[in-house]
Amino acid sequence: MSSTMRSGSLNEDQHHSAYDMVLLRLGSEITVKGKNRHRFEQVLADHVRKALRPFERVVVQHTYGRLYVMLNEHPYEEVAAALRDVFGLVSFSPVKKAEAELDAIRDTALAVFRANKGPKSTFKVTVKRGWKQFPHNSMEMNHQVASHVLRETPELKVDIRNPDVELRVDIQQGAAYVYCDVEQGAGGFPYGANGKALLLLSGGIDSPVAGWLGMRKGLTLEAVHFHSYPFTSEQAKEKVVTLSKRLLHYTNGKFKLHLVPFTDIQTSFAQAGQERLIITLMRRAMLRITEMIAERESAHAIVTGDSLGQVASQTLGSMNVIGRATDLPLLRPLVMMDKVDIIRIAEQIGTYETSILPYEDCCTLFVPKSPTTNPNLESVEKAEATIDNLDEMIALAVKNTVTVVLKQDEAEKKAAETAEDRWF
């Protein structure tokens, strides 16, 4: 048995009761917002309340520049699990409240130190005295708290440069707040704080990651997926719905998936005698359709999973010509990322295992052996002009798009699943 255990470690129930509240820290991107800061904080507070809705006893308190979660004896670990995916939180800490009195602070500090689950060979104490009438200054309190912890755990050593544990005490009028754990949050901006965009969602690895990164930057997202039934299968459809449900987890409780029929357009391109340009033609048509859906849905940008140089349509020349098909801003969160980093995020957010399922989407159909990597805009536009009724087919694809609204409420999920059946 370790010396820490001998000194009186906490059982599970004691660990749960070791904390009274959680201190939530906002990202620097929010704290520098000036006059807009309150709006971002309010949106974040609303998302925290939504994430903690299953915990009936938990209360969220919002003061300028700070968010607190009052646990009211609820297990901290369960609350922490719900907080980790809330965009806008850079970190959070479980906190034990004590009376603003020396002995109470020292005893509470010892309890919080013991509740820490990480390595605890070395430590330091950092006291912040916000209430200047407290009878001991910060330096005195650092010594008072550290000596008390050392008396109860003599195997410990003080290391002020690189400690295993930093025990922090914030003394305010009427109470002191003690904590040492700091958990990393999702960071970024609160979901929906920076406007609305449409995500081109395929069944691959990249586009769900691009969507997650867009959400993390505060975008409300809706997904657009192109299918070519009967060339694409029911399994390919379910794969995209599953990816959308995973992205739903990071939203405010609702996620729209627009399912666009692309068979006629894709077949026309395949029969046009422009084999090397077919990918470029497809991508441009997809952007034109997405732009029309964006106008209908009041979205102001398009998010794609493009990563520079990864495939023929993602060379700089190809992205330039393809991007000319829309006037909306094209947001490419992955453009400078390596594939290994994209895969790491996909694994982290829970989309990777679905993305690698071997069900083809329309982007993998009719792929030429040698697609052009540096298309000429004038040549591409001339090729488009030879496609009979292309504008009409694009308008018809928008008209026949089926929109599935996914919601986290169970009853609403059943309704969404019913809507999915109308796809084919």
Side-chain angles (χ1 to χ4, degrees):
M1 181 179 293
S2 71
S3 56
T4 302
M5 291 291 287
R6 286 195 302 271
S7 67
S9 66
L10 304 180
N11 62 34
E12 194 66 16
D13 290 336
Q14 289 172 320
H15 183 77
H16 286 167
S17 62
Y19 305 116
D20 302 310
M21 57 197 296
V22 187
L23 168 63
L24 310 182
R25 299 179 187 84
L26 288 59
S28 59
E29 292 177 313
I30 297 175
T31 58
V32 298
K33 281 296 177 182
K35 292 182 180 180
N36 291 325
R37 175 172 174 170
H38 180 75
R39 178 177 69 85
F40 281 87
E41 288 182 2
Q42 188 59 58
V43 172
L44 178 56
D46 291 342
H47 288 318
V48 170
R49 290 187 180 96
K50 176 194 162 293
L52 300 182
R53 197 175 295 161
F55 310 112
E56 295 181 358
R57 301 192 304 273
V58 165
V59 177
V60 179
Q61 293 183 350
H62 175 207
T63 61
Y64 182 78
R66 288 196 175 189
L67 287 173
Y68 299 96
V69 175
M70 313 308 295
L71 292 173
N72 293 323
E73 299 184 354
H74 201 96
Y76 164 73
E77 289 83 358
E78 296 177 11
V79 172
L83 292 172
R84 289 185 187 109
D85 291 332
V86 178
F87 294 127
L89 293 181
V90 65
S91 66
F92 53 92
S93 294
V95 176
K96 181 72 173 175
K97 186 177 178 181
E99 293 182 22
E101 185 270 328
L102 177 60
D103 288 341
I105 291 172
R106 293 194 301 186
D107 290 343
T108 301
L110 178 62
V112 169
F113 177 82
R114 285 175 170 169
N116 178 276
K117 290 185 175 182
K120 292 184 284 193
S121 297
T122 61
F123 84 117
K124 68 178 286 189
V125 174
T126 302
V127 176
K128 177 182 176 182
R129 192 181 60 149
W131 179 38
K132 301 305 181 185
Q133 282 68 46
F134 188 76
H136 305 279
N137 64 34
S138 297
M139 291 296 292
E140 291 172 346
M141 285 301 296
N142 286 342
H143 175 74
Q144 289 282 356
V145 173
S147 61
H148 182 70
V149 173
L150 284 170
R151 277 195 297 271
E152 297 299 324
T153 52
E155 70 279 2
L156 269 178
K157 293 182 179 179
V158 173
D159 183 347
I160 62 173
R161 295 184 182 275
N162 188 31
D164 293 331
V165 178
E166 183 174 0
L167 192 54
R168 299 171 174 92
V169 182
D170 183 6
I171 302 174
Q172 300 294 330
Q173 186 172 5
Y177 304 92
V178 186
Y179 62 96
C180 57
D181 290 338
V182 178
E183 292 205 40
Q184 294 302 306
F189 286 100
Y191 179 76
N194 281 329
K196 184 176 182 180
L198 296 187
L199 167 69
L200 293 184
L201 181 64
S202 70
I205 296 171
D206 298 343
S207 58
V209 174
W212 182 83
L213 289 171
M215 292 173 168
R216 187 175 180 269
K217 272 296 185 181
L219 290 176
T220 296
L221 283 190
E222 298 179 6
V224 179
H225 177 75
F226 295 86
H227 65 88
S228 292
Y229 181 77
F231 300 112
T232 52
S233 66
E234 178 73 15
Q235 290 93 336
K237 161 200 159 181
E238 292 301 328
K239 180 179 179 180
V240 172
V241 172
T242 300
L243 290 171
S244 296
K245 288 181 177 179
R246 185 56 195 161
L247 292 177
L248 168 66
H249 172 72
Y250 298 98
T251 71
N252 59 0
K254 183 173 74 173
F255 189 77
K256 283 186 178 181
L257 172 61
H258 304 283
L259 304 168
V260 183
F262 201 60
T263 309
D264 292 344
I265 296 173
Q266 195 164 16
T267 302
S268 296
F269 290 152
Q271 297 171 349
Q274 299 285 348
E275 182 182 10
R276 295 196 68 204
L277 289 178
I278 188 170
I279 295 177
T280 303
L281 296 172
M282 284 170 44
R283 299 283 186 179
R284 283 172 58 88
M286 289 176 175
L287 286 181
R288 291 177 63 186
I289 291 168
T290 304
E291 183 176 46
M292 296 171 72
I293 296 173
E295 183 177 357
R296 186 185 72 196
E297 298 294 324
S298 300
H300 300 106
I302 298 172
V303 179
T304 79
D306 294 338
S307 178
L308 185 61
Q310 189 164 266
V311 293
S313 63
Q314 295 173 17
T315 63
L316 194 58
S318 289
M319 288 194 291
N320 176 42
V321 171
I322 292 169
R324 299 292 184 93
T326 178
D327 291 328
L328 287 178
L330 279 176
L331 308 181
R332 299 179 169 106
L334 313 183
V335 71
M336 297 298 181
M337 293 181 64
D338 294 333
K339 192 69 174 185
V340 64
D341 296 319
I342 298 171
I343 290 174
R344 176 180 53 79
I345 297 176
E347 292 172 335
Q348 170 192 329
I349 66 176
T351 59
Y352 179 74
E353 292 300 326
T354 301
S355 292
I356 62 174
L357 293 174
Y359 306 126
E360 292 186 332
D361 58 30
C362 71
C363 294
T364 59
L365 300 174
F366 310 122
V367 176
K369 292 181 180 179
S370 181
T372 182
T373 59
N374 190 28
N376 176 271
L377 179 60
E378 184 178 353
S379 299
V380 171
E381 290 176 338
K382 285 181 179 179
E384 289 173 336
T386 67
I387 308 297
D388 291 336
N389 302 317
L390 179 58
D391 290 345
E392 289 80 0
M393 286 190 291
I394 285 175
L396 187 61
V398 175
K399 180 180 179 181
N400 291 335
T401 294
V402 172
T403 298
V404 178
V405 181
L406 302 171
K407 297 184 179 180
Q408 289 177 334
D409 179 82
E410 287 301 324
E412 291 167 325
K413 276 184 181 178
K414 292 180 181 178
E417 289 166 0
T418 301
E420 290 166 21
D421 294 336
R422 302 200 313 269
W423 184 3
F424 294 149

